[in-house]
Short mmCIF file of all heavy atoms in Angstrom, two decimals:
data_model
loop_
_atom_site.label_atom_id
_atom_site.label_comp_id
_atom_site.label_asym_id
_atom_site.label_seq_id
_atom_site.Cartn_x
_atom_site.Cartn_y
_atom_site.Cartn_z
N VAL A 25 -1.76 4.02 6.51
CA VAL A 25 -2.37 4.71 5.45
C VAL A 25 -1.49 4.63 4.20
O VAL A 25 -0.23 4.69 4.37
CB VAL A 25 -2.64 6.27 5.82
CG1 VAL A 25 -1.40 7.05 6.21
CG2 VAL A 25 -3.35 6.95 4.63
N SER A 26 -2.12 4.40 3.08
CA SER A 26 -1.27 4.39 1.83
C SER A 26 -0.61 5.69 1.60
O SER A 26 -1.39 6.75 1.62
CB SER A 26 -2.35 4.14 0.58
OG SER A 26 -2.88 2.90 0.64
N ALA A 27 0.66 5.69 1.47
CA ALA A 27 1.44 6.93 1.38
C ALA A 27 0.88 7.75 0.22
O ALA A 27 0.90 8.99 0.38
CB ALA A 27 2.88 6.58 1.19
N CYS A 28 0.53 7.20 -0.86
CA CYS A 28 0.14 8.11 -1.97
C CYS A 28 -1.09 8.93 -1.66
O CYS A 28 -1.32 9.99 -2.25
CB CYS A 28 -0.02 7.20 -3.22
SG CYS A 28 -1.33 5.94 -2.99
N LEU A 29 -1.93 8.41 -0.68
CA LEU A 29 -3.08 9.17 -0.35
C LEU A 29 -2.76 10.42 0.55
O LEU A 29 -3.54 11.27 0.59
CB LEU A 29 -4.13 8.37 0.44
CG LEU A 29 -4.75 7.12 -0.31
CD1 LEU A 29 -5.59 6.24 0.66
CD2 LEU A 29 -5.57 7.71 -1.44
N ILE A 32 2.27 11.84 -0.93
CA ILE A 32 3.68 11.41 -1.09
C ILE A 32 3.75 10.75 -2.55
O ILE A 32 2.86 9.89 -2.86
CB ILE A 32 4.07 10.42 -0.02
CG1 ILE A 32 3.93 11.19 1.39
CG2 ILE A 32 5.49 9.96 -0.16
CD1 ILE A 32 4.07 10.41 2.59
N ASN A 33 4.83 10.93 -3.30
CA ASN A 33 4.87 10.60 -4.73
C ASN A 33 5.42 9.18 -4.75
O ASN A 33 6.50 8.91 -5.32
CB ASN A 33 5.77 11.56 -5.37
CG ASN A 33 5.20 12.98 -5.57
OD1 ASN A 33 3.91 13.14 -5.55
ND2 ASN A 33 5.87 13.95 -5.70
N THR A 34 4.53 8.26 -4.32
CA THR A 34 4.86 6.77 -4.35
C THR A 34 4.19 6.12 -5.45
O THR A 34 4.51 4.83 -5.68
CB THR A 34 4.54 6.11 -3.04
OG1 THR A 34 3.16 6.33 -2.79
CG2 THR A 34 5.36 6.66 -1.91
N LYS A 35 3.34 6.83 -6.23
CA LYS A 35 2.53 6.13 -7.27
C LYS A 35 3.48 5.65 -8.40
O LYS A 35 4.61 6.20 -8.65
CB LYS A 35 1.58 7.14 -7.76
CG LYS A 35 0.48 6.60 -8.55
CD LYS A 35 -0.61 7.67 -8.90
CE LYS A 35 -1.55 7.34 -10.07
NZ LYS A 35 -2.39 8.36 -10.38
N TYR A 36 2.97 4.71 -9.24
CA TYR A 36 3.93 4.10 -10.21
C TYR A 36 4.52 5.15 -11.27
O TYR A 36 5.54 4.96 -11.72
CB TYR A 36 3.12 3.06 -11.08
CG TYR A 36 1.98 3.55 -11.93
CD1 TYR A 36 2.29 3.85 -13.33
CD2 TYR A 36 0.69 3.77 -11.47
CE1 TYR A 36 1.31 4.33 -14.05
CE2 TYR A 36 -0.29 4.18 -12.32
CZ TYR A 36 0.08 4.65 -13.53
OH TYR A 36 -0.88 5.14 -14.41
N GLU A 39 3.82 10.05 -9.23
CA GLU A 39 2.95 11.16 -8.65
C GLU A 39 2.26 10.57 -7.45
O GLU A 39 2.83 9.62 -6.87
CB GLU A 39 1.89 11.57 -9.80
CG GLU A 39 2.65 12.29 -10.97
CD GLU A 39 1.82 12.67 -12.02
OE1 GLU A 39 0.54 12.53 -11.92
OE2 GLU A 39 2.30 13.27 -13.14
N ASN A 41 -1.78 10.25 -5.03
CA ASN A 41 -3.35 10.22 -5.15
C ASN A 41 -3.86 11.04 -3.89
O ASN A 41 -4.69 10.47 -3.21
CB ASN A 41 -3.71 8.80 -4.96
CG ASN A 41 -3.35 7.89 -6.15
OD1 ASN A 41 -3.53 8.27 -7.34
ND2 ASN A 41 -2.59 6.79 -5.84
N ILE A 58 2.52 4.25 4.44
CA ILE A 58 3.41 3.09 3.87
C ILE A 58 3.09 2.93 2.41
O ILE A 58 2.04 3.17 1.97
CB ILE A 58 3.10 1.74 4.53
CG1 ILE A 58 1.60 1.49 4.77
CG2 ILE A 58 3.91 1.70 5.92
CD1 ILE A 58 0.93 0.71 3.72
N CYS A 59 4.08 2.42 1.65
CA CYS A 59 3.75 2.09 0.28
C CYS A 59 4.41 0.69 0.11
O CYS A 59 5.64 0.54 -0.01
CB CYS A 59 4.59 3.01 -0.78
SG CYS A 59 4.36 2.38 -2.36
N PRO A 60 3.46 -0.35 0.08
CA PRO A 60 4.01 -1.71 0.01
C PRO A 60 4.84 -1.94 -1.28
O PRO A 60 5.70 -2.88 -1.20
CB PRO A 60 2.64 -2.51 -0.04
CG PRO A 60 1.64 -1.69 0.52
CD PRO A 60 2.06 -0.30 0.26
N GLU A 61 4.50 -1.33 -2.38
CA GLU A 61 5.36 -1.54 -3.53
C GLU A 61 6.78 -1.03 -3.40
O GLU A 61 7.71 -1.79 -3.80
CB GLU A 61 4.66 -0.97 -4.77
CG GLU A 61 3.26 -1.79 -4.96
CD GLU A 61 2.48 -1.29 -6.13
OE1 GLU A 61 3.01 -0.56 -7.09
OE2 GLU A 61 1.18 -1.56 -6.04
N GLN A 62 6.90 -0.03 -2.72
CA GLN A 62 8.31 0.47 -2.42
C GLN A 62 8.93 -0.37 -1.32
O GLN A 62 10.13 -0.75 -1.59
CB GLN A 62 8.31 2.05 -1.96
CG GLN A 62 8.00 3.03 -3.07
CD GLN A 62 8.08 4.43 -2.53
OE1 GLN A 62 8.13 4.69 -1.30
NE2 GLN A 62 8.27 5.28 -3.51
N ARG A 70 7.69 3.40 -11.69
CA ARG A 70 7.83 2.01 -12.15
C ARG A 70 6.65 1.71 -13.18
O ARG A 70 5.73 2.58 -13.25
CB ARG A 70 7.67 1.04 -10.99
CG ARG A 70 6.47 1.28 -10.11
CD ARG A 70 6.46 0.56 -8.83
NE ARG A 70 5.26 0.92 -7.94
CZ ARG A 70 5.23 1.95 -7.14
NH1 ARG A 70 6.27 2.71 -7.05
NH2 ARG A 70 4.20 2.21 -6.46
N PHE A 102 5.71 -7.89 -4.60
CA PHE A 102 4.45 -7.62 -3.96
C PHE A 102 4.28 -8.49 -2.62
O PHE A 102 3.73 -8.00 -1.66
CB PHE A 102 3.23 -7.95 -4.98
CG PHE A 102 2.98 -6.74 -5.86
CD1 PHE A 102 3.86 -6.32 -6.81
CD2 PHE A 102 1.82 -6.18 -5.65
CE1 PHE A 102 3.65 -5.26 -7.55
CE2 PHE A 102 1.52 -4.89 -6.40
CZ PHE A 102 2.43 -4.49 -7.42
N LEU A 123 -6.61 2.52 2.83
CA LEU A 123 -5.84 2.09 1.70
C LEU A 123 -6.39 2.51 0.35
O LEU A 123 -7.63 2.66 0.29
CB LEU A 123 -5.64 0.54 1.69
CG LEU A 123 -4.89 -0.12 3.02
CD1 LEU A 123 -4.95 -1.51 2.93
CD2 LEU A 123 -3.53 0.54 3.17
N LYS A 124 -5.44 2.64 -0.51
CA LYS A 124 -5.96 3.29 -1.95
C LYS A 124 -6.76 2.12 -2.76
O LYS A 124 -6.25 1.08 -3.00
CB LYS A 124 -4.71 3.59 -2.61
CG LYS A 124 -4.91 4.02 -4.15
CD LYS A 124 -5.53 5.38 -4.30
CE LYS A 124 -5.84 5.65 -5.69
NZ LYS A 124 -7.06 4.99 -6.11
N SER A 125 -7.97 2.59 -3.01
CA SER A 125 -8.87 1.77 -3.71
C SER A 125 -8.22 1.29 -5.11
O SER A 125 -7.51 2.05 -5.72
CB SER A 125 -10.15 2.66 -4.12
OG SER A 125 -11.18 1.91 -4.68
N LYS A 126 -8.58 0.04 -5.45
CA LYS A 126 -8.16 -0.63 -6.70
C LYS A 126 -6.75 -1.00 -6.96
O LYS A 126 -6.43 -1.63 -8.04
CB LYS A 126 -8.74 0.30 -8.00
CG LYS A 126 -10.24 0.48 -7.92
CD LYS A 126 -10.72 1.34 -9.14
CE LYS A 126 -11.78 2.37 -8.77
NZ LYS A 126 -11.70 3.53 -9.48
N SER A 127 -5.84 -0.55 -6.17
CA SER A 127 -4.52 -0.97 -6.44
C SER A 127 -4.20 -2.33 -6.21
O SER A 127 -4.88 -3.13 -5.36
CB SER A 127 -3.55 -0.17 -5.26
OG SER A 127 -2.41 -0.85 -4.94
N PRO A 128 -3.22 -2.93 -7.01
CA PRO A 128 -3.01 -4.41 -6.76
C PRO A 128 -2.28 -4.73 -5.45
O PRO A 128 -2.32 -5.85 -4.97
CB PRO A 128 -2.06 -4.70 -7.92
CG PRO A 128 -1.45 -3.38 -8.28
CD PRO A 128 -2.52 -2.35 -7.95
N SER A 129 -1.81 -3.68 -4.75
CA SER A 129 -1.24 -3.90 -3.39
C SER A 129 -2.44 -3.40 -2.40
O SER A 129 -2.73 -4.24 -1.48
CB SER A 129 -0.11 -3.00 -3.03
OG SER A 129 0.93 -3.38 -3.91
N CYS A 130 -2.86 -2.24 -2.56
CA CYS A 130 -3.70 -1.62 -1.48
C CYS A 130 -5.24 -1.63 -1.76
O CYS A 130 -5.95 -1.20 -0.92
CB CYS A 130 -3.26 -0.05 -1.46
SG CYS A 130 -1.70 0.09 -0.87
N GLY A 131 -5.60 -2.24 -2.85
CA GLY A 131 -7.06 -2.31 -3.22
C GLY A 131 -7.96 -3.01 -2.23
O GLY A 131 -7.50 -4.02 -1.70
N THR A 151 -1.43 -6.72 -0.26
CA THR A 151 -1.26 -6.24 1.12
C THR A 151 -2.48 -6.26 1.88
O THR A 151 -2.57 -6.65 3.05
CB THR A 151 -0.51 -4.86 1.00
OG1 THR A 151 0.77 -5.05 0.52
CG2 THR A 151 -0.42 -4.25 2.42
S1 SF4 B 224 1.35 0.57 -3.37
FE1 SF4 B 224 -0.37 1.54 -2.23
S2 SF4 B 224 0.72 3.21 -1.17
FE2 SF4 B 224 2.05 2.50 -2.96
S3 SF4 B 224 1.50 3.91 -4.65
FE3 SF4 B 224 0.30 1.94 -4.78
S4 SF4 B 224 -1.64 2.40 -3.75
FE4 SF4 B 224 -0.28 4.03 -3.20
#
Side-chain angles (χ1 to χ4, degrees):
V25 59
S26 294
C28 59
L29 293 177
I32 301 169
N33 292 331
T34 55
K35 194 175 164 181
Y36 73 89
E39 297 179 4
N41 297 304
I58 44 94
C59 175
E61 292 174 24
Q62 288 187 341
R70 55 190 171 275
F102 272 68
L123 301 179
K124 172 73 185 76
S125 185
K126 300 182 214 146
S127 149
S129 295
C130 298
T151 295

